[in-house]
Short mmCIF file of all heavy atoms in Angstrom, two decimals:
data_model
loop_
_atom_site.label_atom_id
_atom_site.label_comp_id
_atom_site.label_asym_id
_atom_site.label_seq_id
_atom_site.Cartn_x
_atom_site.Cartn_y
_atom_site.Cartn_z
N ARG V 1 139.89 93.83 79.50
CA ARG V 1 140.73 93.22 80.51
C ARG V 1 141.27 94.33 81.42
O ARG V 1 141.32 95.50 81.03
CB ARG V 1 141.78 92.37 79.89
CG ARG V 1 141.18 91.17 79.11
CD ARG V 1 142.20 90.43 78.41
NE ARG V 1 143.07 89.65 79.40
CZ ARG V 1 144.02 88.78 79.05
NH1 ARG V 1 144.24 88.56 77.77
NH2 ARG V 1 144.75 88.25 79.94
N PHE V 2 141.72 93.95 82.65
CA PHE V 2 142.16 94.84 83.57
C PHE V 2 143.33 95.74 83.16
O PHE V 2 143.19 96.98 83.24
CB PHE V 2 142.64 94.08 84.88
CG PHE V 2 143.00 94.95 86.05
CD1 PHE V 2 141.99 95.24 87.02
CD2 PHE V 2 144.26 95.47 86.25
CE1 PHE V 2 142.33 96.05 88.05
CE2 PHE V 2 144.59 96.22 87.30
CZ PHE V 2 143.61 96.55 88.20
N ASN V 3 144.36 95.22 82.60
CA ASN V 3 145.49 96.01 82.15
C ASN V 3 145.10 96.95 80.95
O ASN V 3 145.64 98.04 80.91
CB ASN V 3 146.68 95.10 81.77
CG ASN V 3 147.38 94.56 82.99
OD1 ASN V 3 147.38 95.21 84.04
ND2 ASN V 3 147.97 93.45 82.81
N ALA V 4 144.20 96.50 80.14
CA ALA V 4 143.73 97.39 79.04
C ALA V 4 143.02 98.55 79.62
O ALA V 4 143.09 99.72 79.18
CB ALA V 4 142.87 96.59 78.10
N MET V 5 142.19 98.32 80.67
CA MET V 5 141.51 99.41 81.34
C MET V 5 142.53 100.38 82.03
O MET V 5 142.34 101.62 81.90
CB MET V 5 140.53 98.88 82.38
CG MET V 5 139.33 98.21 81.76
SD MET V 5 138.15 97.63 82.97
CE MET V 5 137.76 99.15 83.76
N MET V 6 143.53 99.83 82.61
CA MET V 6 144.51 100.71 83.30
C MET V 6 145.12 101.62 82.29
O MET V 6 145.38 102.82 82.49
CB MET V 6 145.58 99.90 84.00
CG MET V 6 145.10 99.36 85.30
SD MET V 6 146.47 98.85 86.39
CE MET V 6 147.22 100.42 86.81
N ARG V 7 145.50 101.06 81.07
CA ARG V 7 146.08 101.88 80.02
C ARG V 7 145.11 102.91 79.50
O ARG V 7 145.50 104.08 79.28
CB ARG V 7 146.62 101.04 78.93
CG ARG V 7 147.87 100.20 79.21
CD ARG V 7 148.43 99.52 78.00
NE ARG V 7 147.53 98.54 77.40
CZ ARG V 7 147.41 97.33 77.79
NH1 ARG V 7 148.15 96.81 78.74
NH2 ARG V 7 146.58 96.47 77.16
N LYS V 8 143.94 102.49 79.29
CA LYS V 8 142.88 103.45 78.73
C LYS V 8 142.58 104.58 79.68
O LYS V 8 142.48 105.69 79.23
CB LYS V 8 141.64 102.66 78.37
CG LYS V 8 140.56 103.50 77.75
CD LYS V 8 139.80 102.77 76.76
CE LYS V 8 138.70 103.67 76.15
NZ LYS V 8 139.01 103.94 74.77
N ILE V 9 142.41 104.25 80.98
CA ILE V 9 142.07 105.28 81.94
C ILE V 9 143.31 106.19 82.22
O ILE V 9 143.13 107.41 82.23
CB ILE V 9 141.52 104.60 83.24
CG1 ILE V 9 140.19 103.95 82.98
CG2 ILE V 9 141.44 105.62 84.38
CD1 ILE V 9 139.67 103.08 84.12
N GLY V 10 144.42 105.60 82.51
CA GLY V 10 145.66 106.36 82.71
C GLY V 10 145.55 107.06 84.11
O GLY V 10 144.57 107.67 84.47
N GLY V 11 146.69 107.02 84.85
CA GLY V 11 146.73 107.66 86.09
C GLY V 11 146.12 106.95 87.32
O GLY V 11 146.24 107.43 88.45
N VAL V 12 145.44 105.90 87.11
CA VAL V 12 144.82 105.11 88.16
C VAL V 12 145.78 104.09 88.61
O VAL V 12 146.42 103.43 87.86
CB VAL V 12 143.45 104.51 87.72
CG1 VAL V 12 143.61 103.47 86.63
CG2 VAL V 12 142.68 103.93 88.93
N SER V 13 145.87 103.88 89.96
CA SER V 13 146.72 102.88 90.49
C SER V 13 146.00 101.50 90.35
O SER V 13 144.77 101.44 90.23
CB SER V 13 147.00 103.13 91.96
OG SER V 13 145.82 102.97 92.78
N HIS V 14 146.84 100.46 90.45
CA HIS V 14 146.34 99.12 90.41
C HIS V 14 145.29 98.92 91.49
O HIS V 14 144.18 98.39 91.29
CB HIS V 14 147.48 98.13 90.49
CG HIS V 14 147.17 96.71 90.28
ND1 HIS V 14 146.49 95.98 91.22
CD2 HIS V 14 147.30 95.92 89.17
CE1 HIS V 14 146.30 94.70 90.68
NE2 HIS V 14 146.81 94.68 89.47
N ARG V 15 145.64 99.35 92.74
CA ARG V 15 144.75 99.16 93.88
C ARG V 15 143.43 99.94 93.66
O ARG V 15 142.36 99.43 94.01
CB ARG V 15 145.44 99.66 95.11
CG ARG V 15 144.58 99.63 96.39
CD ARG V 15 145.35 99.96 97.68
NE ARG V 15 144.66 100.39 98.79
CZ ARG V 15 143.71 99.81 99.37
NH1 ARG V 15 143.21 98.65 98.97
NH2 ARG V 15 143.11 100.31 100.47
N MET V 16 143.51 101.22 93.21
CA MET V 16 142.27 101.95 93.09
C MET V 16 141.41 101.38 91.98
O MET V 16 140.14 101.32 92.17
CB MET V 16 142.67 103.43 92.72
CG MET V 16 141.41 104.35 92.66
SD MET V 16 140.35 104.21 94.12
CE MET V 16 141.38 104.83 95.44
N LEU V 17 141.93 100.92 90.90
CA LEU V 17 141.09 100.30 89.92
C LEU V 17 140.51 99.07 90.39
O LEU V 17 139.32 98.77 90.13
CB LEU V 17 141.90 100.05 88.56
CG LEU V 17 141.13 99.49 87.40
CD1 LEU V 17 139.93 100.37 87.06
CD2 LEU V 17 142.01 99.33 86.13
N THR V 18 141.28 98.22 91.11
CA THR V 18 140.74 97.03 91.71
C THR V 18 139.55 97.33 92.61
O THR V 18 138.49 96.74 92.57
CB THR V 18 141.76 96.24 92.54
OG1 THR V 18 142.84 95.88 91.59
CG2 THR V 18 141.23 95.02 93.23
N LEU V 19 139.68 98.34 93.55
CA LEU V 19 138.64 98.68 94.44
C LEU V 19 137.41 99.24 93.66
O LEU V 19 136.28 98.93 94.01
CB LEU V 19 139.09 99.75 95.43
CG LEU V 19 140.16 99.28 96.45
CD1 LEU V 19 140.69 100.47 97.27
CD2 LEU V 19 139.56 98.22 97.33
N THR V 20 137.61 100.00 92.66
CA THR V 20 136.55 100.56 91.82
C THR V 20 135.77 99.49 91.16
O THR V 20 134.49 99.46 91.26
CB THR V 20 137.14 101.57 90.83
OG1 THR V 20 137.77 102.65 91.50
CG2 THR V 20 135.99 102.13 89.96
N LEU V 21 136.54 98.56 90.56
CA LEU V 21 135.86 97.49 89.82
C LEU V 21 135.04 96.55 90.80
O LEU V 21 133.90 96.14 90.48
CB LEU V 21 136.77 96.65 89.03
CG LEU V 21 137.48 97.44 87.87
CD1 LEU V 21 138.56 96.61 87.21
CD2 LEU V 21 136.44 97.86 86.76
N ARG V 22 135.59 96.32 91.96
CA ARG V 22 134.91 95.45 92.94
C ARG V 22 133.61 96.16 93.44
O ARG V 22 132.57 95.55 93.57
CB ARG V 22 135.82 95.22 94.18
CG ARG V 22 136.79 94.16 93.94
CD ARG V 22 137.55 93.90 95.25
NE ARG V 22 138.71 92.96 94.93
CZ ARG V 22 139.80 92.87 95.74
NH1 ARG V 22 139.85 93.60 96.80
NH2 ARG V 22 140.69 92.08 95.44
N GLY V 23 133.71 97.51 93.66
CA GLY V 23 132.48 98.23 94.01
C GLY V 23 131.42 98.21 92.96
O GLY V 23 130.27 98.04 93.24
N LEU V 24 131.87 98.41 91.66
CA LEU V 24 130.88 98.35 90.62
C LEU V 24 130.23 96.93 90.44
O LEU V 24 129.00 96.84 90.19
CB LEU V 24 131.53 98.72 89.30
CG LEU V 24 132.00 100.24 89.25
CD1 LEU V 24 132.87 100.54 88.03
CD2 LEU V 24 130.77 101.12 89.24
N GLU V 25 131.03 95.92 90.64
CA GLU V 25 130.45 94.59 90.59
C GLU V 25 129.51 94.37 91.72
O GLU V 25 128.41 93.80 91.55
CB GLU V 25 131.68 93.58 90.68
CG GLU V 25 131.18 92.12 90.52
CD GLU V 25 132.32 91.12 90.63
OE1 GLU V 25 133.44 91.48 90.99
OE2 GLU V 25 132.06 89.91 90.33
N ARG V 26 129.85 94.81 92.90
CA ARG V 26 129.00 94.69 94.07
C ARG V 26 127.66 95.35 93.91
O ARG V 26 126.59 94.91 94.30
CB ARG V 26 129.73 95.28 95.29
CG ARG V 26 128.91 95.13 96.62
CD ARG V 26 129.73 95.58 97.79
NE ARG V 26 128.93 95.38 98.99
CZ ARG V 26 128.51 96.40 99.71
NH1 ARG V 26 128.71 97.70 99.42
NH2 ARG V 26 127.82 96.13 100.85
N GLU V 27 127.66 96.50 93.20
CA GLU V 27 126.42 97.26 92.94
C GLU V 27 125.65 96.73 91.75
O GLU V 27 124.64 97.27 91.39
CB GLU V 27 126.70 98.70 92.75
CG GLU V 27 127.38 99.38 93.90
CD GLU V 27 126.50 99.64 95.14
OE1 GLU V 27 125.27 99.53 95.03
OE2 GLU V 27 127.02 99.78 96.18
N GLY V 28 126.18 95.70 91.13
CA GLY V 28 125.49 95.14 89.91
C GLY V 28 125.68 95.89 88.67
O GLY V 28 124.94 95.75 87.69
N LEU V 29 126.72 96.76 88.59
CA LEU V 29 126.93 97.59 87.45
C LEU V 29 127.85 96.94 86.39
O LEU V 29 127.94 97.35 85.23
CB LEU V 29 127.52 98.99 87.85
CG LEU V 29 126.54 99.75 88.75
CD1 LEU V 29 127.19 101.02 89.25
CD2 LEU V 29 125.26 100.09 88.02
N LEU V 30 128.67 95.94 86.85
CA LEU V 30 129.49 95.23 85.91
C LEU V 30 129.67 93.73 86.30
O LEU V 30 129.35 93.44 87.48
CB LEU V 30 130.81 95.91 85.73
CG LEU V 30 131.82 95.95 86.87
CD1 LEU V 30 132.56 94.60 87.11
CD2 LEU V 30 132.92 97.00 86.58
N THR V 31 130.06 92.97 85.38
CA THR V 31 130.37 91.58 85.68
C THR V 31 131.86 91.33 85.49
O THR V 31 132.46 91.97 84.66
CB THR V 31 129.59 90.63 84.81
OG1 THR V 31 129.85 90.88 83.43
CG2 THR V 31 128.05 90.74 85.02
N ARG V 32 132.34 90.40 86.28
CA ARG V 32 133.78 89.99 86.16
C ARG V 32 133.69 88.51 85.69
O ARG V 32 133.15 87.65 86.41
CB ARG V 32 134.45 90.13 87.41
CG ARG V 32 135.85 89.58 87.46
CD ARG V 32 136.37 89.79 88.97
NE ARG V 32 137.81 89.43 89.04
CZ ARG V 32 138.30 88.17 89.16
NH1 ARG V 32 137.42 87.16 89.21
NH2 ARG V 32 139.55 87.98 89.18
N THR V 33 134.36 88.20 84.61
CA THR V 33 134.34 86.83 84.06
C THR V 33 135.84 86.44 84.00
O THR V 33 136.64 86.98 83.38
CB THR V 33 133.71 86.76 82.74
OG1 THR V 33 132.41 87.31 82.72
CG2 THR V 33 133.68 85.37 82.19
N ALA V 34 136.09 85.33 84.80
CA ALA V 34 137.44 84.71 84.80
C ALA V 34 137.45 83.51 83.90
O ALA V 34 136.56 82.56 84.10
CB ALA V 34 137.82 84.39 86.24
N TYR V 35 138.37 83.43 82.95
CA TYR V 35 138.42 82.28 82.05
C TYR V 35 139.55 81.36 82.49
O TYR V 35 140.64 81.83 82.89
CB TYR V 35 138.72 82.70 80.66
CG TYR V 35 137.58 83.58 80.04
CD1 TYR V 35 137.61 85.00 80.14
CD2 TYR V 35 136.44 83.04 79.47
CE1 TYR V 35 136.63 85.82 79.61
CE2 TYR V 35 135.40 83.82 78.96
CZ TYR V 35 135.50 85.19 79.05
OH TYR V 35 134.52 85.96 78.59
N PRO V 36 139.28 80.07 82.50
CA PRO V 36 140.31 79.10 83.02
C PRO V 36 141.47 78.82 82.00
O PRO V 36 141.52 77.76 81.44
CB PRO V 36 139.47 77.87 83.30
CG PRO V 36 138.32 77.94 82.32
CD PRO V 36 138.08 79.40 82.12
N THR V 37 142.17 79.88 81.68
CA THR V 37 143.30 79.74 80.80
C THR V 37 144.59 79.95 81.51
O THR V 37 144.62 80.36 82.66
CB THR V 37 143.14 80.76 79.64
OG1 THR V 37 143.16 82.07 80.23
CG2 THR V 37 141.95 80.55 78.86
N ILE V 38 145.70 79.66 80.86
CA ILE V 38 147.00 79.89 81.40
C ILE V 38 147.74 80.88 80.44
O ILE V 38 147.94 80.54 79.31
CB ILE V 38 147.82 78.62 81.59
CG1 ILE V 38 147.06 77.73 82.64
CG2 ILE V 38 149.26 78.95 82.10
CD1 ILE V 38 147.67 76.37 82.71
N PRO V 39 148.02 82.06 80.90
CA PRO V 39 147.74 82.64 82.18
C PRO V 39 146.25 82.98 82.28
O PRO V 39 145.52 83.05 81.26
CB PRO V 39 148.52 83.98 82.21
CG PRO V 39 148.73 84.32 80.77
CD PRO V 39 148.74 83.02 80.03
N PRO V 40 145.72 83.20 83.48
CA PRO V 40 144.30 83.46 83.65
C PRO V 40 143.88 84.70 82.90
O PRO V 40 144.67 85.66 82.86
CB PRO V 40 144.11 83.63 85.22
CG PRO V 40 145.34 83.01 85.81
CD PRO V 40 146.42 83.08 84.80
N LYS V 41 142.72 84.71 82.38
CA LYS V 41 142.19 85.79 81.62
C LYS V 41 140.89 86.27 82.38
O LYS V 41 140.02 85.41 82.65
CB LYS V 41 141.84 85.41 80.20
CG LYS V 41 141.16 86.53 79.36
CD LYS V 41 140.86 86.01 77.94
CE LYS V 41 139.98 87.01 77.23
NZ LYS V 41 139.56 86.59 75.90
N VAL V 42 140.81 87.54 82.67
CA VAL V 42 139.66 88.13 83.34
C VAL V 42 139.21 89.32 82.51
O VAL V 42 139.95 90.15 82.12
CB VAL V 42 140.01 88.59 84.79
CG1 VAL V 42 138.81 89.23 85.48
CG2 VAL V 42 140.52 87.43 85.60
N GLU V 43 137.86 89.31 82.26
CA GLU V 43 137.27 90.43 81.55
C GLU V 43 136.20 91.07 82.40
O GLU V 43 135.47 90.42 83.22
CB GLU V 43 136.62 89.96 80.23
CG GLU V 43 137.56 89.75 79.10
CD GLU V 43 136.85 89.46 77.84
OE1 GLU V 43 135.63 89.06 77.82
OE2 GLU V 43 137.51 89.66 76.75
N TYR V 44 136.02 92.41 82.22
CA TYR V 44 135.02 93.10 82.92
C TYR V 44 134.05 93.68 81.83
O TYR V 44 134.53 94.10 80.79
CB TYR V 44 135.63 94.28 83.65
CG TYR V 44 136.57 93.78 84.79
CD1 TYR V 44 137.90 93.57 84.54
CD2 TYR V 44 136.05 93.54 86.04
CE1 TYR V 44 138.70 93.09 85.57
CE2 TYR V 44 136.90 93.06 87.06
CZ TYR V 44 138.21 92.85 86.79
OH TYR V 44 139.05 92.37 87.77
N GLU V 45 132.82 93.63 82.15
CA GLU V 45 131.78 94.09 81.18
C GLU V 45 130.63 94.76 81.93
O GLU V 45 130.22 94.20 83.05
CB GLU V 45 131.25 92.97 80.30
CG GLU V 45 130.27 93.35 79.29
CD GLU V 45 129.89 92.17 78.38
OE1 GLU V 45 130.15 91.03 78.75
OE2 GLU V 45 129.32 92.43 77.34
N LEU V 46 130.12 95.87 81.45
CA LEU V 46 128.94 96.51 82.03
C LEU V 46 127.72 95.65 81.93
O LEU V 46 127.54 94.99 80.86
CB LEU V 46 128.64 97.83 81.37
CG LEU V 46 129.74 98.97 81.58
CD1 LEU V 46 129.31 100.19 80.73
CD2 LEU V 46 129.84 99.33 83.02
N THR V 47 126.93 95.60 82.95
CA THR V 47 125.64 94.93 82.92
C THR V 47 124.61 95.90 82.24
O THR V 47 125.00 97.02 81.94
CB THR V 47 125.17 94.62 84.35
OG1 THR V 47 125.07 95.88 85.08
CG2 THR V 47 126.12 93.65 85.05
N ASP V 48 123.44 95.39 82.05
CA ASP V 48 122.40 96.39 81.53
C ASP V 48 122.26 97.57 82.46
O ASP V 48 122.10 98.69 81.98
CB ASP V 48 121.05 95.65 81.41
CG ASP V 48 121.00 94.63 80.30
OD1 ASP V 48 121.94 94.71 79.41
OD2 ASP V 48 120.14 93.71 80.35
#
């Protein structure tokens, strides 16, 4: 999940991590899966 990644990486801003993840998704390097829960749950996972 996003916040777990922020903690693991350390030193990255919310905005920079968001831009990085969007770029990786755009290039087909990861997938973003949003689960319809309350609160919303979003997971990121590397593609092949």
Side-chain angles (χ1 to χ4, degrees):
R1 294 178 69 177
F2 187 90
N3 286 331
M5 288 182 60
M6 282 197 69
R7 286 189 300 274
K8 181 147 182 110
I9 293 172
V12 64
S13 70
H14 190 280
R15 175 172 158 58
M16 185 51 64
L17 184 55
T18 298
L19 291 173
T20 299
L21 294 173
R22 282 183 188 160
L24 292 171
E25 183 180 13
R26 182 173 182 247
E27 299 291 341
L29 299 172
L30 66 76
T31 57
R32 177 185 185 274
T33 305
Y35 297 95
T37 60
I38 298 175
K41 176 183 171 183
V42 177
E43 280 188 340
Y44 297 88
E45 183 174 14
L46 293 175
T47 61
D48 289 341

